[in-house]
Amino acid sequence: MSTVAVVELLNGASTPWPRTESDSHPMPTASARPLEGARRISQLVLVRWPGRDYGLSELDAHQPVGQAAEAPSANVYDTNPTSVAKTLKEWLPAGDPHRGIPRPAQETVALLPRP
């Protein structure tokens, strides 16, 4: 199995916690003690992300996040457990999550050879 990770820094876009994005899911990640803290932070970031990037209010973002979010946990026995919150992009309204910033990482990935 091969994995390719492309890291892209978006100037002018700040976030207090790491955010990962796949073709199908936005995924904020949080590490905190206790595990409930990590879970709470990742869910909060997932609620605020559509508000900022898709034009939803926080109250409107609670609907898809509260009913359809997935929340896998990792490193639960580590000193800082990690929680990821994610929801399908297809359940979010159409928008420009990168505010017009070009996405050269996708172009780079498209050029990579496929196994």
Side-chain angles (χ1 to χ4, degrees):
M1 179 166 110
S2 298
T3 302
V4 175
V6 176
V7 178
E8 183 178 3
L9 174 64
L10 300 176
N11 291 326
S14 63
T15 179
W17 293 94
R19 298 184 341 177
T20 307
E21 188 174 342
S22 71
D23 290 337
S24 60
H25 293 82
M27 299 173 281
T29 304
S31 291
R33 280 182 289 193
L35 177 59
E36 295 86 21
R39 178 76 51 120
R40 187 171 36 253
I41 292 166
S42 65
Q43 294 288 327
L44 177 64
V45 174
L46 186 60
V47 167
R48 290 183 175 168
W49 190 346
R52 189 178 84 177
D53 293 350
Y54 293 93
L56 291 176
S57 70
E58 280 192 35
L59 289 175
D60 289 337
H62 273 283
Q63 184 75 22
V65 171
Q67 291 185 344
E70 300 173 44
S73 298
N75 301 331
V76 292
Y77 296 108
D78 196 353
T79 55
N80 283 322
T82 302
S83 181
V84 174
K86 62 183 182 177
T87 190
L88 285 170
K89 286 182 181 178
E90 65 188 51
W91 295 335
L92 298 173
D96 183 15
H98 301 285
R99 293 177 301 255
I101 299 171
R103 306 256 351 243
Q106 287 182 349
E107 295 170 11
T108 302
V109 170
L111 297 173
L112 295 173
R114 301 283 179 200

